[in-house]
């Protein structure tokens, strides 16, 4: 990754600090690992700030500068022969105010200028109208959403105090896990402070006045195209991949190509002045994406509502080691809601010499686990203390309230 430009850091006021929660048995003493990998993971989880609600507090607003991304380049004209010039001129009257929308932050240009304000700022990947933005608004209905061009920029925006929180997709009920974001969770020192489950409803969008039968090609994120494969095959259209769904809608609006549609949300249609040609075009009726809320500091978990804890650990190679690691939760009647394994990037292979005839190679894995218990509960504390005796590396990514509302 290119070196980041030096940016000013602005002080952010704490939102909704509530001193009325008193949770005993919070973390076991000296439980965890430090940056160097030693067993001291409690250091990054103390000195906590208490936040009782997902509501907006007093923060410093930051105005983002223009960042360039391939999906959102506003091209001033369409390729010759695509459509008639008179059609382009007529269509663009609907979209003359697109320049007023916020431009995505870039990981190589995270500069900003402060301005007064009182709303929490939440970063997401994509452009206005993205499903990630909808997830941010579900968690913080009165927040200011800040678009970023890539997932790396989302993490950096929080780390550099340009925003207060971030919303990051982590898994989809059809497409599965988003592996890139699992890797970024370990690379950065942010904490999971919550989760959001969002029902995905894909729509086919087009320019005003265009009929569904006129569409010859459809733009969208590869996963959205895959979600709507049967519908697109029936239409007989060509599928073109873009970086995100709302970005596809923006391309249609700025270029004014009448025979091209986009798969995105109904909200994206409103933002970019497009018509909804068809609703609910996904092959599966119920598609849910789970998002994580990231913050610079962890929240203080309690036992008065259902909580979920996310951890990552690494084990020595050997028979039954993974079974022993997971058994620490079964012994204490703790349900595991998610298990994900990822090769360790800095040590992908482990070589073991068993004889003079050769050597055996094993993948070195990291295991990401979500379990349904709060770190305020003794059973969760004991389970992690037991797991620490087995694991080479253990880190708590966050303990946070479960999202049970769809």
């Amino acid at each position: 990754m290119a070196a980041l430009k030096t940016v000013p850091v602005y002080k952010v006021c704490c939102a909704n600090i509530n001193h009325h929660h008193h949770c005993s048995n919070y973390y076991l003493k000296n439980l965890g690992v430090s940056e160097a990998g030693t067993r001291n993971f409690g250091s990054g989880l103390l000195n906590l700030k208490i936040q009782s609600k997902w509501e907006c507090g007093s923060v410093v607003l930051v105005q983002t500068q223009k960042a360039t991304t391939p999906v959102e380049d506003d091209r001033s004209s369409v390729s010759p022969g695509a459509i008639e010039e008179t059609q382009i001129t007529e269509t663009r009257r609907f979209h003359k105010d697109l320049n007023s929308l916020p431009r995505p932050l870039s990981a190589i240009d995270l500069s900003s200028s402060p301005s007064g304000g009182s709303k929490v700022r939440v970063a997401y990947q994509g452009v206005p109208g993205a499903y990630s933005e909808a997830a941010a608004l579900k968690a913080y209905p009165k927040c200011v959403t800040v678009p970023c061009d890539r997932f790396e920029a989302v993490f950096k925006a929080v780390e550099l105090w340009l925003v207060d929180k971030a919303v990051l997709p982590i898994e989809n009920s059809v497409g599965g896990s988003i592996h890139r974001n699992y890797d970024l969770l370990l690379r950065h020192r942010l904490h999971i402070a919550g989760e959001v489950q969002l029902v995905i409803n894909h729509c086919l969008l087009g320019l005003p006045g265009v009929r569904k039968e006129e569409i010859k090609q459809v733009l969208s994120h590869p996963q959205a195209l895959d979600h709507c494969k049967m519908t697109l095959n029936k239409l007989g259209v060509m599928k073109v991949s873009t970086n995100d769904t709302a970005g596809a809608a923006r391309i249609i609006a700025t270029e004014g190509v009448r025979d091209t549609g986009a798969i995105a949300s109904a909200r994206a249609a409103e933002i970019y002045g497009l018509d909804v040609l068809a609703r609910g075009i996904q092959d599966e009726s119920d598609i849910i994406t789970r998002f994580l809320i990231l913050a610079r500091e962890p929240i203080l978990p309690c036992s008065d509502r259902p909580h979920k804890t996310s951890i990552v650990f690494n084990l020595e190679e050997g028979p039954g080691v993974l079974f022993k690691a997971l058994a620490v939760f079964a012994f204490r009647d703790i349900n595991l809601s998610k298990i994900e394994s990822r090769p360790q990037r800095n040590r992908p292979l482990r070589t073991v010499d068993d004889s003079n005839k050769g050597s055996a190679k094993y993948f070195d894995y990291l295991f990401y686990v979500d379990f349904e218990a709060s770190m305020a509960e003794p059973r969760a504390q004991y389970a992690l203390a037991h797991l620490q005796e087995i694991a080479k590396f253990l880190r708590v990514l966050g303990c946070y309230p479960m999202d049970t509302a769809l």
Side-chain angles (χ1 to χ4, degrees):
M1 181 184 295
L4 293 173
K5 294 183 179 179
T6 301
V7 298
V9 177
Y10 304 103
K11 184 176 181 181
V12 180
C13 300
C14 301
N16 293 306
I17 303 302
N18 189 334
H19 298 283
H20 297 291
H21 288 291
H22 300 281
C23 302
S24 60
N25 298 320
Y26 175 40
Y27 289 107
L28 287 181
K29 183 177 180 182
N30 297 326
L31 186 59
V33 296
S34 64
E35 288 283 344
T38 58
R39 302 205 168 190
N40 186 24
F41 80 28
S43 59
L45 292 170
L46 300 180
N47 300 320
L48 304 178
K49 295 179 183 177
I50 306 173
Q51 179 174 337
S52 62
K53 298 181 180 179
W54 286 352
E55 294 179 355
C56 305
S58 176
V59 300
V60 175
L61 287 180
V62 179
Q63 178 150 4
T64 61
Q65 292 182 350
K66 181 175 181 180
T68 303
T69 172
V71 176
E72 289 146 356
D73 289 341
D74 291 334
R75 285 170 276 184
S76 58
S77 61
V78 188
S79 57
I83 60 173
E84 295 181 2
E85 183 176 355
T86 55
Q87 291 177 322
I88 299 175
T89 303
E90 180 180 355
T91 301
R92 285 187 179 171
R93 288 203 300 263
F94 294 98
H95 320 292
K96 60 184 178 182
D97 61 342
L98 290 186
N99 290 331
S100 65
L101 295 174
R103 302 295 298 180
L105 294 177
S106 169
I108 61 175
D109 185 20
L110 286 171
S111 55
S112 62
S113 59
S115 61
S118 60
K119 293 184 177 180
V120 64
R121 292 171 61 83
V122 183
Y124 67 94
Q125 188 276 327
V127 299
Y131 290 112
S132 292
E133 186 187 34
L137 292 171
K138 179 184 177 183
Y140 302 93
K142 298 180 181 179
C143 72
V144 174
T145 55
V146 179
C148 298
D149 64 346
R150 296 183 183 275
F151 291 126
E152 289 83 352
V154 174
F155 281 85
K156 287 296 181 182
V158 181
E159 291 173 336
L160 296 176
W161 291 73
L162 301 180
V163 298
D164 307 293
K165 311 285 186 195
V167 169
L168 190 78
I170 198 66
E171 62 177 328
N172 179 268
S173 60
V174 175
S177 300
I178 302 175
H179 297 135
R180 176 61 178 165
N181 289 340
Y182 274 103
D183 296 336
L184 290 173
L185 281 173
L186 188 62
R187 181 178 299 180
H188 296 268
R189 299 298 299 183
L190 298 182
H191 302 270
I192 303 175
E195 69 173 358
V196 180
Q197 297 191 93
L198 187 71
V199 176
I200 304 301
N201 186 18
H202 291 307
C203 300
L204 179 62
L205 312 182
L207 292 174
V210 173
R211 294 180 294 107
K212 182 170 61 175
E213 293 73 21
E214 299 179 51
I215 300 299
K216 303 301 180 185
Q217 63 178 356
V218 173
L219 313 180
S220 195
H221 186 276
Q223 195 171 82
L225 293 173
D226 186 64
H227 290 170
C228 308
K229 187 181 300 183
M230 294 176 60
T231 300
L232 297 179
N233 288 341
K234 289 180 181 179
L235 291 175
V237 298
M238 182 174 66
K239 298 179 281 290
V240 181
S241 297
T242 60
N243 284 358
D244 63 271
T245 56
R250 184 167 187 167
I251 291 174
I252 302 302
T254 55
E255 293 194 3
V257 184
R258 296 182 62 82
D259 66 348
T260 302
I263 295 177
S265 64
R267 183 169 179 270
E270 296 177 6
I271 292 174
Y272 300 108
L274 302 178
D275 284 351
V276 177
L277 307 183
R279 296 178 183 270
I281 63 173
Q282 61 270 13
D283 299 339
E284 302 291 335
S285 57
D286 296 322
I287 298 180
I288 299 172
T289 297
R290 178 172 169 251
F291 297 82
L292 299 178
I293 301 172
L294 304 179
R296 286 179 292 274
E297 296 190 25
I299 63 173
L300 183 62
C302 294
S303 56
D304 59 345
R305 58 175 295 186
H307 272 63
K308 184 181 292 184
T309 302
S310 297
I311 62 174
V312 56
F313 59 90
N314 180 246
L315 301 169
E316 290 285 0
E317 185 68 29
V321 176
L322 181 58
F323 171 79
K324 294 176 183 177
L326 299 181
V328 305
F329 301 102
F331 290 157
R332 295 165 179 88
D333 198 28
I334 298 176
N335 182 49
L336 303 182
S337 59
K338 173 73 174 179
I339 303 175
E340 181 74 29
S341 62
R342 297 287 297 147
Q344 193 167 348
R345 300 179 70 87
N346 60 352
R347 190 183 172 187
L349 291 175
R350 183 188 307 175
T351 302
V352 180
D353 293 321
D354 294 326
S355 65
N356 295 330
K357 297 181 181 180
S359 61
K361 290 186 177 181
Y362 303 94
F363 276 98
D364 207 3
Y365 283 101
L366 290 166
F367 298 94
Y368 294 81
V369 171
D370 295 341
F371 62 87
E372 296 177 359
S374 170
M375 286 301 299
E377 301 178 59
R379 61 173 184 156
Q381 299 169 15
Y382 294 142
L384 290 189
H386 192 174
L387 179 60
Q388 189 183 16
E389 298 175 0
I390 303 171
K392 295 191 305 176
F393 162 81
L394 173 62
R395 175 179 161 191
V396 176
L397 298 173
C399 180
Y400 46 93
M402 296 174 58
D403 181 19
T404 58
L406 291 176

